[in-house]
Each structure stands twice: as structure tokens, then as C-alpha cells.
Amino acid sequence: MRTRVWGLVGLWAVVVIAVGAHVAGAATGKREDDQQIRALQTRLATAVSARDLNSVMKEYVPGNELFVFDSDLPRQHTGWESFKKDWGNFVNSAEDVKYDVQDLGITVVGNAAFSHHLAHMVWTSTKDGSHHEQLLSMTDAYRKIDGKWLIVLEHFSIPVVDGKAVFVAWPKNH
């Protein structure tokens, strides 16, 4: 009987260790995914600031799977090529660009993730030297494809007050 009890205790210990290792592994995996998405957003901000179109577009899923609701016209882009053209228009018309990601929140569920953040952009127009600033509310959806996180959906928004866009409206708690 004692052998049987100790055998069950040993089996229970193995189960507890295995479940604990699985839970710890899942938590570690989520932390790594979170870190990878934060690194993606940092690379994206650096690429936009450098006006490096090719590096910007490396963070988005290629092909027609990409969908973007934009802050400019046209309001939406379907596909990588359409959005690359839009980013190209920006990088070719701006200089002294500074792009900063603030208040980044990330949720990871398996091979899908979502994030929200404020994107603060400041730049000078190459056309007339005018200075511009925008604070965009951003929502991104990601998929992990071949071990790499890529943006598959992006939504830019700008607050509206009395029917007019407010390009720089910081949250009250900021």
C-alpha cells in the first residue's frame, strides 16, 4: 500500500511539474511575443523617422491580406502595394520627420495580437517648409507568420471636435 501511495504522490508531482512548466512556458512565450511586437513598433517608428520606405513596409504583411483605415484620403487601403504607395507619398513630401510611439498596450492570443497606442508625428513639408504635427490614435492587428509578427490590419484615427479634426489632442491623463 505504501508503495502505491508513494507512486501516486510521485505521479501527482510529475503532473504538477508538467502543468507548471506549461503555464510558465506560455507566460514566457507571451512575454517574448510582447517584446517582439514592441520591437516591431520601435523599428517602424525608426523607419518612419528615417523616411525609409522599404523598412517601413517590412513590418506589414505582403499581398492583399493587409487592410488599413487611414487618417488621409483615401480612407482605406486594401493590400500592401496600395499602402506602400500611401507611405511613399508621405516620405517623399516630408523631411525632419519624428515619429514616436507612446502608451503601447499589447494583447497576444496565440498567433494573433492586437495593440493600441498614440503615434506622435512631427515633420516639415518639402513643398513649402511648413511644420506639421499629428497625434494619431492607432490600433494594429498582427499575425505571427513563420515566426515573425506582421501588421495585418491598421486603423488610424484623429479626434473630431465640433465637426473638425483636432490633430494634436493629448489625453487628459498624459
Side-chain angles (χ1 to χ4, degrees):
M1 182 73 166
R2 283 184 144 183
T3 305
R4 189 170 192 191
V5 169
W6 282 112
L8 289 173
V9 168
L11 180 60
W12 178 249
V14 169
V15 168
V16 167
I17 290 169
V19 168
H22 177 73
V23 169
T28 299
K30 286 194 179 207
R31 276 194 305 274
E32 289 171 4
D33 290 332
D34 183 277
Q35 290 170 351
Q36 290 171 8
I37 291 169
R38 287 181 189 283
L40 179 157
Q41 287 294 339
T42 298
R43 288 190 307 271
L44 186 58
T46 300
V48 171
S49 295
R51 298 173 44 230
D52 181 350
L53 181 59
N54 291 329
S55 292
V56 167
M57 294 310 298
K58 285 180 183 177
E59 307 306 336
Y60 296 91
V61 67
N64 290 325
E65 186 177 352
L66 178 63
F67 187 86
V68 177
F69 280 118
D70 204 345
S71 61
D72 294 330
L73 295 176
R75 286 280 175 217
Q76 65 187 47
H77 301 277
T78 301
W80 189 88
E81 288 294 333
S82 173
F83 198 47
K84 180 180 181 185
K85 182 179 176 187
D86 187 60
W87 265 120
N89 290 338
F90 175 76
V91 299
N92 291 324
S93 67
E95 59 188 8
D96 301 323
V97 178
K98 291 173 186 60
Y99 183 100
D100 185 38
V101 173
Q102 299 180 18
D103 300 331
L104 179 60
I106 300 168
T107 300
V108 177
V109 181
N111 286 332
F114 302 89
S115 73
H116 57 85
H117 65 276
L118 297 174
H120 184 223
M121 294 180 64
V122 179
W123 71 96
T124 303
S125 170
T126 57
K127 182 178 179 182
D128 61 9
S130 59
H131 296 283
H132 301 271
E133 181 176 15
Q134 282 188 346
L135 182 66
L136 302 160
S137 300
M138 303 284 295
T139 304
D140 288 318
Y142 311 82
R143 278 191 38 226
K144 194 171 195 178
I145 301 170
D146 297 329
K148 181 179 178 186
W149 288 103
L150 294 170
I151 298 170
V152 296
L153 180 134
E154 189 161 70
H155 185 264
F156 296 78
S157 64
I158 298 170
V160 176
V161 176
D162 296 327
K164 294 184 181 178
V166 180
F167 292 107
V168 181
W170 291 98
K172 290 181 182 182
N173 63 351
H174 202 269

PDB file of all heavy atoms in Angstrom, residues 109-126:
ATOM      1  N   VAL A 109      -2.874  36.557 -28.313  1.00  0.00           N
ATOM      2  CA  VAL A 109      -3.675  35.341 -28.186  1.00  0.00           C
ATOM      3  C   VAL A 109      -3.192  34.387 -29.266  1.00  0.00           C
ATOM      4  O   VAL A 109      -3.559  34.533 -30.437  1.00  0.00           O
ATOM      5  CB  VAL A 109      -5.184  35.628 -28.344  1.00  0.00           C
ATOM      6  CG1 VAL A 109      -5.982  34.343 -28.190  1.00  0.00           C
ATOM      7  CG2 VAL A 109      -5.652  36.683 -27.368  1.00  0.00           C
ATOM      8  N   GLY A 110      -2.329  33.459 -28.879  1.00  0.00           N
ATOM      9  CA  GLY A 110      -1.790  32.516 -29.856  1.00  0.00           C
ATOM     10  C   GLY A 110      -0.959  33.226 -30.910  1.00  0.00           C
ATOM     11  O   GLY A 110      -0.046  33.974 -30.590  1.00  0.00           O
ATOM     12  N   ASN A 111      -1.320  33.002 -32.185  1.00  0.00           N
ATOM     13  CA  ASN A 111      -0.594  33.619 -33.302  1.00  0.00           C
ATOM     14  C   ASN A 111      -1.256  34.903 -33.783  1.00  0.00           C
ATOM     15  O   ASN A 111      -0.997  35.358 -34.900  1.00  0.00           O
ATOM     16  CB  ASN A 111      -0.464  32.632 -34.467  1.00  0.00           C
ATOM     17  CG  ASN A 111       0.561  31.561 -34.167  1.00  0.00           C
ATOM     18  OD1 ASN A 111       1.497  31.783 -33.404  1.00  0.00           O
ATOM     19  ND2 ASN A 111       0.385  30.399 -34.752  1.00  0.00           N
ATOM     20  N   ALA A 112      -2.112  35.486 -32.949  1.00  0.00           N
ATOM     21  CA  ALA A 112      -2.756  36.762 -33.265  1.00  0.00           C
ATOM     22  C   ALA A 112      -2.511  37.714 -32.102  1.00  0.00           C
ATOM     23  O   ALA A 112      -2.347  37.300 -30.957  1.00  0.00           O
ATOM     24  CB  ALA A 112      -4.251  36.576 -33.491  1.00  0.00           C
ATOM     25  N   ALA A 113      -2.456  38.998 -32.419  1.00  0.00           N
ATOM     26  CA  ALA A 113      -2.247  40.004 -31.373  1.00  0.00           C
ATOM     27  C   ALA A 113      -2.889  41.313 -31.808  1.00  0.00           C
ATOM     28  O   ALA A 113      -3.120  41.537 -33.006  1.00  0.00           O
ATOM     29  CB  ALA A 113      -0.759  40.200 -31.105  1.00  0.00           C
ATOM     30  N   PHE A 114      -3.151  42.162 -30.814  1.00  0.00           N
ATOM     31  CA  PHE A 114      -3.714  43.477 -31.048  1.00  0.00           C
ATOM     32  C   PHE A 114      -2.935  44.473 -30.208  1.00  0.00           C
ATOM     33  O   PHE A 114      -2.469  44.139 -29.126  1.00  0.00           O
ATOM     34  CB  PHE A 114      -5.190  43.516 -30.642  1.00  0.00           C
ATOM     35  CG  PHE A 114      -6.011  42.504 -31.380  1.00  0.00           C
ATOM     36  CD1 PHE A 114      -6.177  41.217 -30.881  1.00  0.00           C
ATOM     37  CD2 PHE A 114      -6.591  42.829 -32.593  1.00  0.00           C
ATOM     38  CE1 PHE A 114      -6.917  40.274 -31.571  1.00  0.00           C
ATOM     39  CE2 PHE A 114      -7.331  41.880 -33.292  1.00  0.00           C
ATOM     40  CZ  PHE A 114      -7.495  40.606 -32.785  1.00  0.00           C
ATOM     41  N   SER A 115      -2.820  45.677 -30.707  1.00  0.00           N
ATOM     42  CA  SER A 115      -2.192  46.724 -29.901  1.00  0.00           C
ATOM     43  C   SER A 115      -2.919  48.036 -30.122  1.00  0.00           C
ATOM     44  O   SER A 115      -3.626  48.232 -31.119  1.00  0.00           O
ATOM     45  CB  SER A 115      -0.708  46.888 -30.248  1.00  0.00           C
ATOM     46  OG  SER A 115      -0.535  47.518 -31.499  1.00  0.00           O
ATOM     47  N   HIS A 116      -2.729  48.936 -29.164  1.00  0.00           N
ATOM     48  CA  HIS A 116      -3.220  50.303 -29.289  1.00  0.00           C
ATOM     49  C   HIS A 116      -2.135  51.216 -28.753  1.00  0.00           C
ATOM     50  O   HIS A 116      -1.371  50.848 -27.844  1.00  0.00           O
ATOM     51  CB  HIS A 116      -4.535  50.497 -28.521  1.00  0.00           C
ATOM     52  CG  HIS A 116      -4.420  50.148 -27.073  1.00  0.00           C
ATOM     53  ND1 HIS A 116      -3.973  51.035 -26.128  1.00  0.00           N
ATOM     54  CD2 HIS A 116      -4.668  48.991 -26.424  1.00  0.00           C
ATOM     55  CE1 HIS A 116      -3.957  50.444 -24.945  1.00  0.00           C
ATOM     56  NE2 HIS A 116      -4.382  49.191 -25.094  1.00  0.00           N
ATOM     57  N   HIS A 117      -2.007  52.380 -29.358  1.00  0.00           N
ATOM     58  CA  HIS A 117      -1.021  53.347 -28.909  1.00  0.00           C
ATOM     59  C   HIS A 117      -1.314  54.719 -29.502  1.00  0.00           C
ATOM     60  O   HIS A 117      -2.174  54.859 -30.371  1.00  0.00           O
ATOM     61  CB  HIS A 117       0.405  52.907 -29.276  1.00  0.00           C
ATOM     62  CG  HIS A 117       0.685  52.854 -30.744  1.00  0.00           C
ATOM     63  ND1 HIS A 117       0.367  51.774 -31.534  1.00  0.00           N
ATOM     64  CD2 HIS A 117       1.255  53.758 -31.579  1.00  0.00           C
ATOM     65  CE1 HIS A 117       0.742  52.009 -32.781  1.00  0.00           C
ATOM     66  NE2 HIS A 117       1.272  53.210 -32.840  1.00  0.00           N
ATOM     67  N   LEU A 118      -0.584  55.704 -29.028  1.00  0.00           N
ATOM     68  CA  LEU A 118      -0.602  57.028 -29.619  1.00  0.00           C
ATOM     69  C   LEU A 118       0.632  57.149 -30.497  1.00  0.00           C
ATOM     70  O   LEU A 118       1.731  56.793 -30.073  1.00  0.00           O
ATOM     71  CB  LEU A 118      -0.577  58.106 -28.537  1.00  0.00           C
ATOM     72  CG  LEU A 118      -1.771  58.130 -27.591  1.00  0.00           C
ATOM     73  CD1 LEU A 118      -1.548  59.156 -26.492  1.00  0.00           C
ATOM     74  CD2 LEU A 118      -3.052  58.417 -28.358  1.00  0.00           C
ATOM     75  N   ALA A 119       0.441  57.617 -31.710  1.00  0.00           N
ATOM     76  CA  ALA A 119       1.553  57.848 -32.631  1.00  0.00           C
ATOM     77  C   ALA A 119       1.698  59.357 -32.782  1.00  0.00           C
ATOM     78  O   ALA A 119       0.820  60.025 -33.329  1.00  0.00           O
ATOM     79  CB  ALA A 119       1.281  57.191 -33.976  1.00  0.00           C
ATOM     80  N   HIS A 120       2.797  59.884 -32.268  1.00  0.00           N
ATOM     81  CA  HIS A 120       3.053  61.319 -32.345  1.00  0.00           C
ATOM     82  C   HIS A 120       4.009  61.569 -33.504  1.00  0.00           C
ATOM     83  O   HIS A 120       5.115  61.036 -33.527  1.00  0.00           O
ATOM     84  CB  HIS A 120       3.650  61.815 -31.028  1.00  0.00           C
ATOM     85  CG  HIS A 120       3.855  63.282 -30.985  1.00  0.00           C
ATOM     86  ND1 HIS A 120       4.988  63.841 -30.468  1.00  0.00           N
ATOM     87  CD2 HIS A 120       3.077  64.321 -31.398  1.00  0.00           C
ATOM     88  CE1 HIS A 120       4.907  65.154 -30.547  1.00  0.00           C
ATOM     89  NE2 HIS A 120       3.753  65.470 -31.111  1.00  0.00           N
ATOM     90  N   MET A 121       3.558  62.368 -34.471  1.00  0.00           N
ATOM     91  CA  MET A 121       4.367  62.650 -35.660  1.00  0.00           C
ATOM     92  C   MET A 121       4.562  64.156 -35.803  1.00  0.00           C
ATOM     93  O   MET A 121       3.621  64.929 -35.666  1.00  0.00           O
ATOM     94  CB  MET A 121       3.685  62.118 -36.923  1.00  0.00           C
ATOM     95  CG  MET A 121       3.587  60.625 -36.977  1.00  0.00           C
ATOM     96  SD  MET A 121       2.785  60.031 -38.489  1.00  0.00           S
ATOM     97  CE  MET A 121       3.939  60.561 -39.725  1.00  0.00           C
ATOM     98  N   VAL A 122       5.805  64.531 -36.101  1.00  0.00           N
ATOM     99  CA  VAL A 122       6.156  65.918 -36.385  1.00  0.00           C
ATOM    100  C   VAL A 122       7.007  65.885 -37.639  1.00  0.00           C
ATOM    101  O   VAL A 122       7.895  65.034 -37.767  1.00  0.00           O
ATOM    102  CB  VAL A 122       6.936  66.553 -35.213  1.00  0.00           C
ATOM    103  CG1 VAL A 122       7.319  67.988 -35.516  1.00  0.00           C
ATOM    104  CG2 VAL A 122       6.150  66.452 -33.918  1.00  0.00           C
ATOM    105  N   TRP A 123       6.749  66.812 -38.587  1.00  0.00           N
ATOM    106  CA  TRP A 123       7.534  66.835 -39.815  1.00  0.00           C
ATOM    107  C   TRP A 123       7.442  68.210 -40.474  1.00  0.00           C
ATOM    108  O   TRP A 123       6.616  69.037 -40.108  1.00  0.00           O
ATOM    109  CB  TRP A 123       7.088  65.754 -40.788  1.00  0.00           C
ATOM    110  CG  TRP A 123       5.757  65.980 -41.430  1.00  0.00           C
ATOM    111  CD1 TRP A 123       5.515  66.544 -42.655  1.00  0.00           C
ATOM    112  CD2 TRP A 123       4.478  65.670 -40.891  1.00  0.00           C
ATOM    113  NE1 TRP A 123       4.167  66.594 -42.910  1.00  0.00           N
ATOM    114  CE2 TRP A 123       3.509  66.057 -41.837  1.00  0.00           C
ATOM    115  CE3 TRP A 123       4.048  65.084 -39.698  1.00  0.00           C
ATOM    116  CZ2 TRP A 123       2.141  65.890 -41.625  1.00  0.00           C
ATOM    117  CZ3 TRP A 123       2.688  64.923 -39.486  1.00  0.00           C
ATOM    118  CH2 TRP A 123       1.763  65.317 -40.438  1.00  0.00           C
ATOM    119  N   THR A 124       8.307  68.406 -41.444  1.00  0.00           N
ATOM    120  CA  THR A 124       8.322  69.617 -42.246  1.00  0.00           C
ATOM    121  C   THR A 124       7.990  69.235 -43.680  1.00  0.00           C
ATOM    122  O   THR A 124       8.518  68.257 -44.201  1.00  0.00           O
ATOM    123  CB  THR A 124       9.717  70.284 -42.190  1.00  0.00           C
ATOM    124  OG1 THR A 124      10.038  70.556 -40.826  1.00  0.00           O
ATOM    125  CG2 THR A 124       9.756  71.573 -42.994  1.00  0.00           C
ATOM    126  N   SER A 125       7.131  70.017 -44.312  1.00  0.00           N
ATOM    127  CA  SER A 125       6.750  69.768 -45.703  1.00  0.00           C
ATOM    128  C   SER A 125       7.897  70.153 -46.630  1.00  0.00           C
ATOM    129  O   SER A 125       8.471  71.240 -46.499  1.00  0.00           O
ATOM    130  CB  SER A 125       5.511  70.596 -46.062  1.00  0.00           C
ATOM    131  OG  SER A 125       5.271  70.553 -47.450  1.00  0.00           O
ATOM    132  N   THR A 126       8.234  69.267 -47.570  1.00  0.00           N
ATOM    133  CA  THR A 126       9.271  69.595 -48.554  1.00  0.00           C
ATOM    134  C   THR A 126       8.746  70.594 -49.574  1.00  0.00           C
ATOM    135  O   THR A 126       9.535  71.273 -50.232  1.00  0.00           O
ATOM    136  CB  THR A 126       9.763  68.325 -49.284  1.00  0.00           C
ATOM    137  OG1 THR A 126       8.650  67.680 -49.906  1.00  0.00           O
ATOM    138  CG2 THR A 126      10.451  67.365 -48.335  1.00  0.00           C
TER     139      THR A 126
END
